[in-house]
Amino acid sequence: HILVDVAGAVVRPGLHRLDAGARVGDAVEAAGGFAPRADLAAAAQSLNLARTLEDGAKVLVPELGNRLVALPAESDGRIDLNLAGQAELESLPGIGPVTAGKIIAARDERRFGSVRELRTRGLVGESVFADIKDRVSTS
């Protein structure tokens, strides 16, 4: 089995246990399907319902009127450093409220061009970077 986090405009957001090999569409279905507030046009652009999920993936279903949520396309389950909110950053191992705040402040100053900038800009230590480098991306 795998465990995935389904968030946004679904009937039952949260953690859902699925069979290995499950797809994004299976995760949305496990979460009760799209909620009435789902932005279906944005979801069609940002979600690939046929994509196979890995353990620990996050599926974010965009909500009507919240275009910022619709922008980070759910392509590979990684958290986008340039778009993630405080809570999403804190979901990463070794990232607490203070470090998440520093990451947000740093990207407000200058967008991240690469994941490696977490180290070169002195935002995380080498061990935390090693733990999260494959879980984050930049847009």
Side-chain angles (χ1 to χ4, degrees):
H1 290 300
I2 62 170
L3 194 61
V4 297
D5 180 7
V6 185
V10 290
V11 176
R12 290 185 310 276
L15 298 176
H16 294 276
R17 187 174 306 281
L18 303 170
D19 291 330
R23 308 210 177 242
V24 170
D26 298 325
V28 171
E29 188 177 314
F34 294 111
R37 68 185 187 284
D39 186 334
L40 298 179
Q45 289 183 325
S46 68
L47 294 174
N48 176 357
L49 297 177
R51 186 177 59 78
T52 304
L53 292 167
E54 294 180 19
D55 187 49
K58 181 170 189 108
V59 175
L60 182 59
V61 177
E63 297 184 43
L64 287 168
N66 194 348
R67 298 305 299 177
L68 183 60
V69 173
L71 293 175
E74 175 59 37
S75 58
D76 59 10
R78 294 184 296 171
I79 293 173
D80 189 321
L81 294 172
N82 289 316
L83 298 172
Q86 178 88 17
E88 205 171 1
L89 291 169
E90 287 180 34
S91 74
L92 293 164
I95 303 294
V98 172
T99 303
K102 287 179 181 176
I103 291 170
I104 291 170
R107 72 141 181 254
D108 287 348
E109 223 172 85
R110 188 177 80 242
R111 288 178 63 82
F112 289 99
S114 74
V115 171
R116 186 78 193 151
E117 287 182 34
L118 286 172
R119 286 291 300 130
T120 60
R121 291 162 82 172
L123 297 166
V124 299
E126 193 59 48
S127 64
V128 169
F129 181 75
D131 286 345
I132 68 170
K133 65 182 168 128
D134 295 330
R135 299 177 186 209
V136 295
S137 65
T138 57
S139 59

